[in-house]
Amino acid sequence: MTFIAYGLYFAALTGLAWALAAAMQRVFDGQLPAGMLRVETALLRGAGVDPARGMTWLGYGMAVLAFNLAGFVLLYTLLRLQGALPLNPDGIGGMSADLAFNTAASFVTNTNWQAYSGEAQLSYLSQMAGLTVQNFVSAGTGMAVAVAIVRGFVAPKGTTLGNFWLDMTRSVLWILLPLSILLALFLAAQGVPQTLLGAVTATGVEGGEQIIARGPAAAQIAIKQLGTNGGGFFGVNSAHPFENPTVASNLAQCLSILLIPVSFCFLFGRMAGDRRQGWAIFATMAVLFVAGLGVVHAYEVAGNPALGLGENMEGKEQRFGAMLSALWATSTTAASNGAVNAMHDSFMPLSGMVTMVLMQIGEVVFGGVGAGLYGMLLYVVLAVFLAGLMVGRTPEYLGRKIESHEVTLAVLAFLSMPLGILVGGAIAATVPQALAAVQDAGPHGLSEILYAYSSATGNNGSAFGGWGAALPWHTTALGVVMLIGRYAIILPMLAIAGSMIRKPKAAATSGTFPTHGPLFVTLLILTVLILGALTFFPVLALGPIAEETARLAGQSF
């Protein structure tokens, strides 16, 4: 029954994503009703933007950076001043400088790492005008960048990749906003609060009083999932009954996490004029996802034999159980979402390792909205280059040559992940101020550090529960790492797209390596595993693998 349930979930996800991809293609091609076109044109011209003006890769990248910098400054200012601003019925004060920096960097980069508890440290104004706005525009940024990069690979020879302001506006107005409204209404019907009233005081069965936080949660939760943002309205995220009250709300949110990332696979095939190319990307991601889910499911359902209690239910909600927790954990770390309905710190060692690996390979197993696709295209460039070396031909992809310039840029983008994770984690493992955040000694303590820096660099946002995320050292260091993880991939990938679009397309010949069949899918999977996963194997051997070895030997730390 378990496998049937997983199969039905994946079939529903694939069908919905296939349909959404068709709608997304019409949106980005501008095949919209006249009224919608007039709305977006009026908004853009009101902002001083000419939507018809194309941008080179550098112009597109500078627009991304300028827009994100403005969002960072506005959000940082709002968080610092929230105590003196309206829509703050519970009288919450402003954030400290380091925490505001961390939070602003987190939400602008679509990471949504939370070193705070939302119901206790954020006003309604900060939640709505700050975080929710960034949930939309950071996701819209990723979608716009992905579409621009795809144009670079598939469009006729030219010099421009489109217009960032137009692509981002269309992403938010015609894709994210309508889907979020539908999901928010469903979640509200399931019992998720949507109110501007403050907290309430309730009397428990034993006579004690309890303060129950509430607020405009449904609207933020909808976009947090659809935009692969993941930042919770409440501190315990989607394990909280006000964020995720029922099995139906859980399945709807789990589908929402992967819906747009999967759609981008099929959108790629449509834009390329060869849907087999999209299916090849989808198949690569799906195989890696199913493999990861299989490991997490097996370990969490079997539980810890030393305890003899059946399923591993530590840190999990009874209303979801081990199966739905395993599905969510795999989905949220495969996508750069980071929302949790169970505490990953309590997972079995190898289950925790899978969630780390999914982040360490660059969040390319579906990944973030847009970010997963352009992250996988990075591996495509490297895979095609390796295939060319093996057969002694100039590497090509979709009729365009992959040359040293593109490979160099791809390697630079790839190295941003080891830089943030291994270098950042190594520093954190040796500095006393940083080590104070670690809850457990031994291999699990190393796993806490490794998970945190994998999550920040991969723009995921989840963490092992024992990690002391609010220490000034980590709020600062992780904020920097989030920025590196986002823009050190976006800019080189835009540069690759800018280089590719200037090249003529060559017709396929009998000697052309096909990039849509099982052989290419296998090569791409091996490239992801060899370059991605094996880069981190030594440190994983000292963390979760050592922890699992000790468990099998009957030892504990």
Side-chain angles (χ1 to χ4, degrees), residues 144-163:
V145 169
V147 170
I149 290 171
V150 172
R151 291 190 189 112
F153 279 83
V154 307
K157 183 180 179 182
T159 58
T160 64
L161 300 177
N163 185 293

Side-chain angles (χ1 to χ4, degrees), residues 199-213:
V200 295
T201 302
T203 302
V205 293
E206 297 181 352
E209 289 190 345
Q210 179 182 3
I211 297 176
I212 300 176

Side-chain angles (χ1 to χ4, degrees), residues 166-186:
L166 178 61
D167 292 336
M168 195 269 295
T169 300
R170 285 176 170 170
S171 299
V172 173
L173 276 185
W174 312 131
I175 300 172
L176 293 172
L177 187 58
L179 290 174
S180 296
I181 292 172
L182 291 174
L183 182 57
L185 291 172
F186 175 79

Side-chain angles (χ1 to χ4, degrees), residues 390-481:
M390 288 187 288
V391 300
R393 290 179 56 87
T394 301
E396 292 181 1
Y397 186 58
L398 302 180
R400 288 189 164 114
K401 293 181 179 181
I402 303 291
E403 297 174 298
S404 60
H405 179 64
E406 291 79 33
V407 175
T408 300
L409 288 168
V411 170
L412 287 174
F414 170 79
L415 288 176
S416 65
M417 293 301 295
L419 174 65
I421 297 170
L422 298 180
V423 176
I427 295 172
T430 56
V431 176
Q433 300 96 310
L435 283 174
V438 178
Q439 175 179 261
D440 300 293
H444 193 75
L446 176 60
S447 294
E448 291 178 14
I449 298 172
L450 186 60
Y451 193 108
Y453 281 83
S454 299
S455 178
T457 309
N459 299 138
N460 182 269
S462 60
F464 273 4
W467 175 258
L471 292 180
W473 172 277
H474 294 296
T475 52
T476 304
L478 290 173
V480 172
V481 166

Side-chain angles (χ1 to χ4, degrees), residues 244-544:
N244 193 9
T246 66
V247 170
S249 71
N250 187 80
L251 288 172
Q253 291 185 54
C254 208
L255 281 169
S256 300
I257 290 171
L258 294 177
L259 177 60
I260 298 178
V262 175
S263 299
F264 261 99
C265 298
F266 303 133
L267 177 63
F268 176 73
R270 287 175 175 273
M271 292 180 69
D274 182 356
R275 297 185 185 182
R276 297 173 300 174
Q277 302 292 339
W279 279 106
I281 298 291
F282 171 77
T284 301
M285 295 180 176
V287 168
L288 293 169
F289 180 86
V290 170
L293 175 60
V295 173
V296 177
H297 172 86
Y299 276 93
E300 296 311 304
V301 170
N304 191 339
L307 300 178
L309 299 175
E311 293 183 351
N312 176 27
M313 286 301 295
E314 180 188 345
K316 296 182 177 65
E317 288 295 306
Q318 290 291 336
R319 63 188 187 278
F320 304 138
M323 175 186 163
L324 292 181
S325 298
L327 177 61
W328 187 295
T330 308
S331 300
T332 197
T333 50
S336 62
N337 181 270
V340 294
N341 74 346
M343 298 301 105
H344 295 182
D345 191 42
S346 298
F347 278 35
M348 299 298 289
L350 294 190
S351 299
M353 184 185 75
V354 167
T355 61
M356 280 189 255
V357 170
L358 288 170
M359 295 183 287
Q360 289 164 352
I361 59 178
E363 300 280 348
V364 297
V365 181
F366 302 126
V369 287
L373 177 65
Y374 63 70
M376 184 57 81
L377 288 176
L378 183 156
Y379 282 104
V380 166
V381 170
L382 297 175
V384 170
F385 172 70
L386 293 174
L389 290 179
M390 288 187 288
V391 300
R393 290 179 56 87
T394 301
E396 292 181 1
Y397 186 58
L398 302 180
R400 288 189 164 114
K401 293 181 179 181
I402 303 291
E403 297 174 298
S404 60
H405 179 64
E406 291 79 33
V407 175
T408 300
L409 288 168
V411 170
L412 287 174
F414 170 79
L415 288 176
S416 65
M417 293 301 295
L419 174 65
I421 297 170
L422 298 180
V423 176
I427 295 172
T430 56
V431 176
Q433 300 96 310
L435 283 174
V438 178
Q439 175 179 261
D440 300 293
H444 193 75
L446 176 60
S447 294
E448 291 178 14
I449 298 172
L450 186 60
Y451 193 108
Y453 281 83
S454 299
S455 178
T457 309
N459 299 138
N460 182 269
S462 60
F464 273 4
W467 175 258
L471 292 180
W473 172 277
H474 294 296
T475 52
T476 304
L478 290 173
V480 172
V481 166
M482 291 173 208
L483 297 170
I484 293 173
R486 179 73 160 178
Y487 303 110
I489 292 179
I490 283 179
L491 293 178
M493 288 306 299
L494 281 172
I496 291 173
S499 175
M500 295 288 282
I501 202 170
R502 292 194 296 269
K503 299 181 181 184
K505 280 191 173 185
T509 67
S510 58
T512 301
F513 179 64
T515 56
H516 53 70
L519 181 61
F520 177 72
V521 170
T522 303
L523 175 64
L524 189 52
I525 291 172
L526 291 175
T527 303
V528 172
L529 293 177
I530 293 172
L531 295 181
L534 289 185
T535 299
F536 301 96
F537 180 78
V539 71
L540 291 170
L542 298 174

